[in-house]
Amino acid sequence: MAALIQPVRGMNDILPDEIHVWQHVEGALRAVLENHGYREIRVPIVESTELFARSIGAATDIVSKEMYTFEDRNGASLSLRPEATAGCVRAALTHSLLRGQSQRLWYSGPMFRHERPQKGRYRQFYQVGAEAYGLAGPDIDAEIIAMSARMWRRLGIRHVRLEINSLGTAETRAAYRTVLVDYFRAHADALDEEARKRLDINPLRLLDSKDAALAPLIAAAPSLHDHLDTESREHFAALGELLAEAGVEYTINPRLVRGLDYYSRTVFEWVTDRLGAQDAVCSGGRYDALVEQLGGPPTPAIGWALGLERLIALLAAEGIEVAAPAPDVYLVRVGAS
């Protein structure tokens, strides 16, 4: 008998006995997104590697270590998508969706990252995300965050909380980066090897380190909020007022940053204490420079993505049961055939 072929590590089957939970969650998310006027877009799983190197950042862990990258028969470098925002922007530019108009789009599907598999983090994982283009004010920030809050209510999820922050403009971050690097270099003896690498490549990522030994050093680090430009400060204050009016509770986390280079100004995360170390359920923010960075016109943009595996695990952790579908009519023939 031939040996059984095993699945690729970190890439999981979703079996018939559990698929109804996935369908329930996906249906609830789709309903909320469509009720808010977001239209579905489907983009390829495989894109040019250059798309992710230019958007996410060639020096990030995702591009340098985690992408599934290969050459096709023509020698072109291609990659399985590690996230979908870059693909959505590419598609909008390819099909001229941003010419003089705003867009509200959503997507779902598998993403791929070659990292150590663990609970809630897999090499093939599924996301649902929303993106809005062409709207610059804090009102769209509030809309897209409030829309995610409505999803939790629709699913019955209670144990999530919202954290928000502002990263300011690219110029703001460049000036703050210098201050931050100087601070951490003055405490270089307290940094491990991984932290030193981050300091050279992406020092803002040190602020969201989960290393308990670094917590006191991070807590005492200079705050980005003290270096925000006036316009970013006003934008962030207006967002807070709009969220309060919408009844969405939040906490300002000045250490909240994003792992991708394209984010600016508003960033946010929905986090939970029910899933252990993997506490982020939904993450997002503004990326006003990305469209232009990928060859399009200057276009403000904001979006978020949530992991379906973590969301489904959170349903179970909260004791929310989803009944399997039952037939409406069941026919039985009695007698000889």
Side-chain angles (χ1 to χ4, degrees), residues 199-214:
L199 183 59
D200 292 330
I201 297 173
N202 191 350
L204 266 67
R205 288 304 310 279
L206 282 171
L207 298 177
D208 68 352
S209 172
K210 301 298 189 290
D211 186 346
L214 292 178

Side-chain angles (χ1 to χ4, degrees), residues 251-272:
T251 300
I252 297 175
N253 179 359
R255 307 304 183 197
L256 176 62
V257 296
R258 299 253 40 87
L260 310 182
D261 281 358
Y262 53 62
Y263 283 108
S264 60
R265 288 197 177 165
T266 303
V267 290
F268 60 90
E269 279 189 353
W270 288 95
V271 297
T272 180

Side-chain angles (χ1 to χ4, degrees), residues 12 49-50 63 77 87 109 125 148 243 265 283 327:
N12 302 318
T49 302
E50 182 187 7
V63 173
S77 181
F125 57 98
S148 58
L243 290 176
R265 288 197 177 165
S283 305

Side-chain angles (χ1 to χ4, degrees), residues 87 186 290:
L290 181 57

Side-chain angles (χ1 to χ4, degrees), residues 35-307:
N35 286 343
H36 281 77
Y38 285 70
R39 299 185 298 161
E40 185 178 7
I41 185 171
R42 301 187 183 187
V43 296
I45 288 175
V46 177
E47 297 270 10
S48 167
T49 302
E50 182 187 7
L51 173 66
F52 303 116
R54 287 172 59 184
S55 60
I56 298 173
T60 61
D61 286 348
I62 293 174
V63 173
S64 64
K65 300 178 182 178
E66 298 172 5
M67 285 206 309
Y68 284 89
T69 298
F70 59 95
E71 286 191 2
D72 70 3
R73 293 181 179 180
N74 298 320
S77 181
L78 305 177
S79 295
L80 298 180
R81 62 187 185 195
E83 56 90 47
T85 294
C88 285
V89 172
R90 196 271 313 145
L93 294 175
T94 299
H95 303 285
S96 302
L97 299 183
L98 303 180
R99 288 186 177 177
Q101 57 185 321
S102 61
Q103 295 284 351
R104 289 174 168 86
L105 306 174
W106 74 274
Y107 62 83
S108 66
M111 312 297 160
F112 302 85
R113 296 185 190 177
H114 192 282
E115 54 185 339
R116 184 171 65 87
Q118 53 187 294
K119 184 178 180 181
R121 178 181 289 177
Y122 305 107
R123 290 176 173 172
Q124 176 175 313
F125 57 98
Y126 292 83
Q127 286 187 339
V128 171
E131 317 284 353
Y133 304 111
L135 301 163
D139 49 343
I140 188 63
D141 302 25
E143 173 189 290
I144 207 164
I145 292 173
M147 180 171 64
S148 58
R150 186 180 176 193
M151 292 177 174
W152 316 141
R153 292 194 297 271
R154 189 179 184 103
L155 288 168
I157 290 173
R158 295 176 291 117
H159 294 93
V160 289
R161 68 182 188 280
L162 174 65
E163 296 183 351
I164 64 174
N165 192 23
S166 176
L167 300 181
T169 63
E171 294 75 18
T172 296
R173 289 196 308 284
Y176 174 65
R177 177 189 173 115
T178 300
V179 174
L180 196 64
V181 168
D182 289 345
Y183 169 79
F184 280 113
R185 287 206 190 286
H187 299 84
D189 56 339
L191 303 180
D192 59 19
E193 183 179 354
E194 184 63 28
R196 291 192 184 99
K197 288 180 181 178
R198 284 190 174 185
L199 183 59
D200 292 330
I201 297 173
N202 191 350
L204 266 67
R205 288 304 310 279
L206 282 171
L207 298 177
D208 68 352
S209 172
K210 301 298 189 290
D211 186 346
L214 292 178
L217 189 61
I218 293 171
S223 173
L224 176 56
H225 276 246
D226 295 334
H227 297 78
L228 286 180
D229 56 285
T230 301
E231 191 173 350
S232 294
R233 197 183 302 276
E234 292 174 349
H235 185 106
F236 190 64
L239 169 62
E241 293 173 0
L242 290 168
L243 290 176
E245 290 176 8
V248 178
E249 296 182 359
Y250 65 90
T251 300
I252 297 175
N253 179 359
R255 307 304 183 197
L256 176 62
V257 296
R258 299 253 40 87
L260 310 182
D261 281 358
Y262 53 62
Y263 283 108
S264 60
R265 288 197 177 165
T266 303
V267 290
F268 60 90
E269 279 189 353
W270 288 95
V271 297
T272 180
D273 59 4
R274 297 303 174 99
L275 297 179
Q278 303 301 324
D279 61 349
V281 179
C282 175
S283 305
R286 275 202 165 272
Y287 48 96
D288 290 340
L290 181 57
V291 176
E292 188 173 10
Q293 186 176 321
L294 293 179
T299 306
I302 186 172
W304 53 249
L306 60 84

